[in-house]
């Protein structure tokens, strides 16, 4: 089998674009997410267009038992994972802390923090056993700075930032690379999910400037995983030209 990559959150946005980029460059893929139909459709498309092997896995990263059992039940050939992209994640709501919806908070912490940990805990022993591999965690500029009404989402991405650093230290002696890609605003389904399906409000996030696209992030993830074996990008913060950080966007 070619280089084998497991991508979480491959039904949309960054994850889907990363799957396309990896498949176009000869990777075999395990693609995971909750929306089975989208996974099946993407798997069929990538198998047809790139003659690559693709295994779709319906998986809710918040479900610890499901994650553990699904990864443990992979056939031997699918256990030789070279690259794990921990991408599944979401923002839910954007309220001041005093008005926050606790269900939104739970959803973000369970997905962005616990979910990333559950998948990692199941996959890392497979990498350690082979003494090689690469974990790419999708963080955010929200993991670098805290902005108004970002409270819990920002906290969850700060956790990703810290977990990434911790992983890199612990996996150092095992030859496993650990990279964080921390994007600013990119137009995907992210804002629609954040604003609970309000398309108008979601669209307004990108008014007056050119945000990044999912394929931009896919380029960077692919770049970070294609470097010579002695090189590891530790942390890569990336925004569109119009964005300086979480606070400053040049809207015309
Ligand atoms: P999308 O909403 O387009 O994609 C999110 C993906 O995560 C979907 O494939 C979704 O799949 C998956 N997902 C969500 N919850 C779960 C779950 N419980 N179990 C499994 N999969 C899940 O957003 P993006 O592509 O923009 O987001 C991808 C990552 O990038 C997230 O971690 C996000 O926080 C981060 N990010 C996004 C930025 C942006 O501006 N867009 C900027 C910085 C970081 P499904 O619903 O089928 O399960
Ligand atoms: C997503 C980018 O600016 O909405 O992580 O936090 S932002």
């Amino acid at each position: 089998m070619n280089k084998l990559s497991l991508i979480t959150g491959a039904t949309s946005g960054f994850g889907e674009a990363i799957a396309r980029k990896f498949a176009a460059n000869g990777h075999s893929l395990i693609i995971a997410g909750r929306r089975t139909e989208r996974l099946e459709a993407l798997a069929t498309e990538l198998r047809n267009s790139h003659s690559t092997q693709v295994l779709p896995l319906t998986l809710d990263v918040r479900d610890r038992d499901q994650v553990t059992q699904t990864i443990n039940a992979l056939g031997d050939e699918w256990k030789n994972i070279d690259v794990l992209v921990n991408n599944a994640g979401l923002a839910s709501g954007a309220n001041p802390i005093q008005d926050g919806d606790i269900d939104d908070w739970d959803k973000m912490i369970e997905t962005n923090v616990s979910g990333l940990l559950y998948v990692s805990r199941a996959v890392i022993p497979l990498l350690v056993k082979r003494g090689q591999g690469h974990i790419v965690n999708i963080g955010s500029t929200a993991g670098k700075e805290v902005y108004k009404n970002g409270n819990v989402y920002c906290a969850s991405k700060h956790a990703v930032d810290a977990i990434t650093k911790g992983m890199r230290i612990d996996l150092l002696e095992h030859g496993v690379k650990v990279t964080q890609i921390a994007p600013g605003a990119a137009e995907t389904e992210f804002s629609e999910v954040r604003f609970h399906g309000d398309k108008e409000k979601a669209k307004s996030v990108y008014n007056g400037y050119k945000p990044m696209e999912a394929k931009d992030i896919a380029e960077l993830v692919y770049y970070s995983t294609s470097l010579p074996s002695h090189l590891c990008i530790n942390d890569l913060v990336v925004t569109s030209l119009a964005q300086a950080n979480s606070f400053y966007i040049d809207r015309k």
Side-chain angles (χ1 to χ4, degrees):
M1 203 186 275
N2 304 329
K3 204 167 184 177
L4 173 61
S5 299
L6 191 167
I7 303 162
T8 67
T11 57
S12 164
F14 297 170
E16 182 182 340
I18 295 164
R20 288 182 196 284
K21 180 73 187 174
F22 278 11
N25 285 278
H27 287 219
S28 300
L29 297 176
I30 303 173
I31 50 174
R34 290 168 300 177
R35 286 169 288 182
T36 307
E37 271 182 29
R38 286 194 185 198
L39 288 175
E40 298 282 359
L42 182 62
T44 304
E45 180 200 318
L46 296 180
R47 283 185 203 117
N48 290 340
S49 50
H50 302 296
S51 312
T52 193
Q53 299 188 65
V54 186
L55 178 68
L57 283 187
T58 303
L59 198 64
D60 186 335
V61 296
R62 296 171 298 178
D63 185 334
R64 179 173 155 182
D65 291 340
Q66 190 194 27
V67 168
T68 310
Q69 284 161 17
T70 307
I71 304 285
N72 288 347
L74 288 172
D76 283 346
E77 75 277 24
W78 292 106
K79 280 193 168 143
N80 290 328
I81 295 166
D82 296 294
V83 179
L84 165 64
V85 184
N86 278 315
N87 163 74
L90 80 177
S92 195
N95 298 313
I97 198 86
Q98 61 275 21
D99 300 329
D101 179 331
I102 295 175
D103 287 336
D104 280 338
W105 296 355
D106 286 347
K107 211 182 285 175
M108 290 187 276
I109 292 168
E110 287 166 11
T111 310
N112 302 352
V113 185
S114 302
L116 180 145
L117 287 170
Y118 298 156
V119 174
S120 300
R121 184 62 183 84
V123 171
I124 287 173
L126 303 173
L127 308 181
V128 166
K129 197 169 158 193
R130 294 169 66 221
Q132 64 177 72
H134 195 161
I135 300 169
V136 180
N137 292 331
I138 304 299
S140 171
T141 45
K144 304 292 182 182
E145 295 145 336
V146 179
Y147 54 84
K148 196 170 185 327
N149 300 337
N151 42 65
V152 176
Y153 178 67
C154 294
S156 75
K157 288 298 183 179
H158 275 70
V160 173
D161 193 63
I163 291 165
T164 306
K165 288 175 185 154
M167 282 181 174
R168 191 176 311 109
I169 295 165
D170 295 347
L171 294 172
L172 188 60
E173 66 200 70
H174 296 286
V176 176
K177 297 186 189 186
V178 183
T179 295
Q180 173 174 247
I181 307 281
E187 193 164 6
T188 60
E189 293 179 14
F190 176 85
S191 293
E192 217 178 302
V193 171
R194 174 171 237 172
F195 297 120
H196 306 301
D198 185 336
K199 288 187 198 296
E200 285 297 302
K201 204 166 173 185
K203 198 82 197 144
S204 73
V205 171
Y206 312 106
N207 275 350
Y209 70 103
K210 182 173 166 42
M212 293 186 293
E213 296 173 37
K215 64 179 168 54
D216 299 325
I217 304 308
E219 286 296 328
L220 296 170
V221 173
Y222 179 69
Y223 175 73
S224 75
T225 60
S226 349
L227 291 170
S229 58
H230 67 290
L231 291 181
C232 177
I233 292 182
N234 290 357
D235 196 7
L236 197 160
V237 180
V238 56
T239 65
S240 70
L241 176 61
Q243 181 174 17
N245 56 27
S246 289
F247 312 109
Y248 296 100
I249 293 185
D250 182 28
R251 294 177 199 267
K252 301 291 185 205

